Every structure is written in structure tokens, then in C-alpha cells.
Amino acid sequence: MSSSNTQPGAAARSGAAAGQHLVDHRRLGRDLELFTTSELVGAGLPLWLPKGSAVRDALAGYIVDLERRAGYAHVHTPALARPELYQRSGHLAHYRDDMFAPVGSGNEELVLRPMSCPHHALVFAARGRSWRELPLRIAELATLYRDERSGVVGGLSRVRAMTLNDGHIFCAPEQLSDEIAAAVDLIENAYAVLGITEYGYRLSLRGEGGKYVPDDSMWERAESQLREVLDRRGATYEQAQGEAAFYGPKLDVQVQDHRGREETLSTVQVDFHLPVALGLHYAGRDGVAATPVVVHRGVVSTMERMVAHLIEIHAGAFPVWLAPVQVAVLPVAEEHDRYARGVARHLLSAGLRAEVDAGERTVAARVRTAVASKVPYVAVVGDRETRDGLFGLRLRDGRRWGPSDVSALTALVARVAGDRSAGLLPDEVSASARVVKR
Ligand code: TSB
Ligand code: ZN
């Protein structure tokens, strides 16, 4: 696997060799109360706790906003469909092993979808389309179900019910390479904001056997389009036979987990098959009906796999905008509770995530808990703070900022979160003398 290989000729080196020591997200997920599992629910079916859900919702909000700005239209489609849809799309012939058995409802059978592409194709086909509407970019945070073997599921990274940051671009053949490149740009932008620096590209090609739709010329065209985009960027990439989707080759973004095992995070896939299988058409410039090409892409993967990876690379110390609790407010004694709650309410009403820890334990013990939970900012309020209305923040990295009034502190945290900055203080504040090392 190569590292940050957007640079031409970047040396192939593994994330582990580059010095990344990742922590098992399952352990951190439990310790930080992000998610849990229950035998009563089943293997590969994690329950997101409030703190994990806060991280996930921040991620989802970010990616939906990024897509909207990139010209995507978001839809909502059901996680069920009649088997006939998956018969026609080819999933039942080529992807059945990964699908749950149909569920009955009276005398009608329905399948839990393993992918949302057929549904999005029907969004395309909701009415006649013209070449003027292309590329039509349809996106959804799509809930999918895959019957992964219970032996291979674990934590959040491989699950059986998942929500994919999914999107399908319906375009004319001559728009294909620009759309692939734009999807790769979105991935690189998102990785920069999420703090993902160790990754490599993989061109996933078909292998032997009947897993793949036949039609050699289609596979060759799709593969050469992906190669052209990678080459144009000067990116290095690995190739893997037998890792394609059944409908076409993929440009996969590979990362490593805490065990050094490689997994696919983002993906961009070229598909000439689905539009034919579902009879998609648009009126071409010359008035003649033409068949679109589909680009399938997942920018930040499934919420499950991406949050697992973010937990591991940040060791639970998420950037402020993703942190489940952004500010912990600790009253020194009972008489400071009211004031502390007012501070938290002020932060909450500014859209921030704040929590009051007014437990029995000493302030020092509660500070230690907040630090162990990787909370970016801790505000301790005692006599002086309550009297003057001025207080300081202890930063996760050991620095301090303040004292200042609640409005200024709220504005500071809101700005760091709103900018989705990697750091804990805006640059010009960070440089100021009011920041002292502990
Ligand atoms: C991108 N039809 C395409 C879609 O339009 C698709 O479903 N591709 S996929 O099968 O490759 O899945 C997309 C991404 O979902 C993968 O790259 C991977 O990051 C993630 N994913 C796949 N299976 C699981 C799983 N069992 N648990 C968590 N995430 C998964
Ligand atoms: Zn798809």
C-alpha cells in the first residue's frame, strides 16, 4: 500500500511502516461509550450509543453538505425491494451469497437490499431524461444489508447492517473521466478534513470465474477509463485481480486497520452493465435514445467503517467538529452547579456539544476522566469564575486558554468546530501569549 500517493512516484510504504500505531477501535469504542453490541441483536449489528451517534451524525452532515456543493441531489429510497429488481440488476445471479434470504410479507417476498444502485437507477428512470440533465448525480445515506459471515464481522468495520455514503452518477460516455476524477477529488478533500493521511489506491479488476457479468469490451473500456484518471493525476496504484464488483472494475482507496490489515474505505466504480440491465435511456443531443454510463461511488465509505477508522487513527481524540463531547463543564462544588449548567446551556444553544460533570468526585478526578475521554476542552468553574463570569479552558493537549467570558469562549469553540479545523485553537489565537503550557 502506498502512502498519500497523490504525489507522482510516491514510494510505496505501508501505514504501519510510516509509523502509525493504531489502537483497536473495538476497545476504544467500548471505553469511550461510542457503540455496543448485544447477542440479542446479533453479530455484525452494532448499536450506536449517544456519543458514537454524535460522531456519526457530524460525519453524515459534513458529507451531505460536501455533496450538495458538488452538485449531487439527495434522495430517500427504501431498504426493501421485490426480488425481481435484483433479478434484473444481476445481483441475484452474481451477489446472492452476500444477500439475506427474502423476507415474507403475506404472499409477497421482499429482499433486504445489499446495494442501492437499482433503486437509484429507478430514480433516474422516474421520467424521461435528456442529455441536458447529465451528469445526474444521485446520492443517499443508504441503509444496506449484507449477510457477511459471522466469523468475519467485528466492531464497526465489517457489519451486516450499514449506512453507505452512496452515490450514483448517470452520465454520457464522454463525461465519464471527468466524473471519475471529480469523485476522486471529493475523496481527497474529505480525507484532508478527516485527518486521513495514510492511504493508497488500488485498481480492482475482475478475476476468474462466473462472479462477473460477461462482456469483455465493456470491462476493457471501464478499466481504461479508471487507469486514465489515475495516470492523469500521476498517482501510483496497486492492481488486484478478483477484487472488482460483479458489474465493473473499481478504483478503491485502501487503508490499514490496527492489526495492519488492509481494508477498502472509499471506492469509485465504472458500470456499463446496470443501465443496460434496467433499460435506462436518455434523449441524446441528436434526439436519438442513448444509454448512460453509471459511476458508483462511496466517498466516506459506510458510516460504520469510516467511524471505525477515525477512532483508530485519532486514538479517540477526534477533531473538535467530530468530538462527541466538545466541552466538559466541571463545577468545583455544589454551589457552582447552577452557573455550570448555564455555561453548558449557552454552548448547547450555539449548536455545540457540552456536558456538565457534577459528580461527587474531586475536580481533579473529573478533569482526569474528561482528559481520558479525549474531550477537547474542559472548563472548571469555581468561586472566582462564578463571581466574575470569566473562566478558562484546559485544552486536551495540555495548554490553557482564557480566562474569558462565556460568549467569547463559545465563539472560539464554535469557530474551530465550524471550520472543521484539525487544531484546538484558531491560528492567530494559538500564537497569542494567552496560551500557556501547563
Ligand atoms: C459505491 N454499489 C456500490 C456503491 O454505489 C457498492 O455498494 N460498493 S461496495 O460493495 O464496494 O461497498 C462500498 C463500500 O462499503 C466499500 O468500499 C466498503 O468501504 C464499505 N463496506 C462494504 N461492506 C461493508 C461491511 N460489511 N461493513 C462495513 N462497511 C462495508
Ligand atoms: Zn452502487
Side-chain angles (χ1 to χ4, degrees):
M1 187 178 358
S2 333
S3 163
S4 310
N5 65 4
T6 53
Q7 301 301 316
R13 65 195 169 109
S14 72
Q20 269 199 332
H21 296 289
L22 306 182
V23 190
D24 187 348
H25 81 275
R26 291 168 299 186
R27 185 166 71 71
L28 280 171
R30 189 189 55 227
D31 294 351
L32 301 177
E33 295 182 47
L34 300 173
F35 66 94
T36 189
T37 51
S38 162
E39 276 183 19
L40 278 175
V41 181
L45 299 169
L47 308 173
W48 294 76
L49 297 174
K51 291 197 166 100
S53 300
V55 179
R56 170 185 171 149
D57 291 346
L59 172 66
Y62 162 66
I63 191 62
V64 167
D65 184 58
L66 189 72
E67 286 174 338
R68 209 174 280 135
R69 291 164 196 264
Y72 283 81
H74 290 88
V75 298
H76 296 281
T77 60
L80 289 163
R82 290 179 45 220
E84 195 182 345
L85 179 63
Y86 286 94
Q87 188 79 53
R88 285 206 210 171
S89 68
H91 284 80
L92 283 176
H94 300 284
Y95 202 72
R96 195 183 212 122
D97 286 352
D98 296 273
M99 296 170 66
F100 283 101
V103 291
S105 75
N107 51 10
E108 196 190 17
E109 281 197 331
L110 292 168
V111 299
L112 282 167
R113 67 176 173 192
M115 295 191 191
S116 67
C117 351
H119 288 84
H120 289 185
L122 297 176
V123 168
F124 178 90
R127 62 167 168 75
R129 300 287 179 184
S130 140
W131 63 274
R132 289 175 210 279
E133 293 177 77
L134 306 189
L136 188 69
R137 306 184 189 91
I138 301 296
E140 179 174 9
L141 289 173
T143 308
L144 311 175
Y145 298 88
R146 295 185 186 176
D147 193 11
E148 305 277 2
R149 311 293 151 265
S150 57
V152 301
V153 298
L156 289 179
S157 56
R158 186 173 291 275
V159 294
R160 298 200 294 167
M162 64 200 85
T163 301
L164 177 62
N165 158 231
D166 210 352
H168 295 93
I169 302 157
F170 300 84
C171 66
E174 63 273 17
Q175 296 169 328
L176 191 51
S177 71
D178 282 352
E179 288 305 311
I180 298 167
V184 177
D185 286 341
L186 274 187
I187 293 169
E188 292 188 354
N189 286 342
Y191 280 25
V193 172
L194 293 165
I196 302 172
T197 54
E198 304 289 336
Y199 59 93
Y201 291 127
R202 183 180 80 182
L203 185 60
S204 301
L205 305 169
R206 72 184 158 153
E208 303 298 320
K211 256 172 60 184
Y212 308 97
V213 296
D215 190 337
D216 292 341
S217 82
M218 192 192 82
W219 282 89
E220 280 153 25
R221 270 193 296 161
E223 181 183 328
S224 73
Q225 292 276 357
L226 290 174
R227 275 191 206 283
E228 182 205 309
V229 171
L230 284 163
D231 291 342
R232 204 158 12 112
R233 308 172 82 83
T236 52
Y237 56 92
E238 294 184 338
Q239 298 191 147
Q241 313 287 335
E243 295 289 346
F246 75 82
Y247 43 75
K250 309 190 285 171
L251 191 171
D252 287 331
V253 184
Q254 303 297 106
V255 296
Q256 285 190 357
D257 72 5
H258 68 280
R259 292 166 291 200
R261 285 222 292 242
E262 198 172 312
E263 63 185 11
T264 302
L265 217 48
S266 311
T267 185
V268 183
Q269 313 169 351
V270 178
D271 183 353
F272 288 96
H273 161 79
L274 184 73
V276 175
L278 293 182
L280 305 184
H281 292 293
Y282 63 95
R285 199 186 278 265
D286 52 8
V288 178
T291 304
V293 189
V294 174
V295 177
H296 307 238
R297 38 98 295 168
V299 174
V300 294
S301 179
T302 52
M303 297 298 105
E304 288 77 12
R305 188 168 290 183
M306 179 54 88
V307 171
H309 190 62
L310 293 173
I311 294 170
E312 298 201 345
I313 61 170
H314 294 297
F318 297 103
V320 175
W321 68 277
L322 283 170
V325 177
Q326 293 164 321
V327 187
V329 187
L330 313 184
V332 173
E334 208 180 321
E335 59 265 33
H336 310 119
D337 276 12
R338 235 173 77 92
Y339 182 77
R341 289 187 198 284
V343 170
R345 259 200 313 278
H346 200 277
L347 291 159
L348 286 175
S349 65
L352 296 167
R353 295 184 288 275
E355 250 181 35
V356 176
D357 180 0
E360 296 290 300
R361 300 173 312 139
T362 63
V363 178
R366 284 179 277 143
V367 169
R368 278 198 298 279
T369 301
V371 170
S373 314
K374 320 289 171 79
V375 175
Y377 310 100
V378 177
V380 175
V381 297
D383 283 339
R384 199 180 37 146
E385 288 80 6
T386 309
R387 189 186 60 230
D388 301 344
L390 297 176
F391 58 95
L393 292 176
R394 294 160 187 247
L395 275 49
R396 180 170 66 194
D397 60 12
R399 292 180 296 167
R400 291 173 188 232
W401 191 79
S404 190
D405 65 19
V406 68
S407 300
L409 288 167
T410 303
L412 176 99
V413 178
R415 189 169 141 211
V416 173
D419 290 349
R420 300 197 179 90
S421 311
L424 297 175
L425 293 174
D427 286 347
E428 77 281 4
V429 175
S430 207
S432 86
R434 296 170 71 200
V435 179
V436 290
K437 273 271 179 205
R438 193 159 46 190

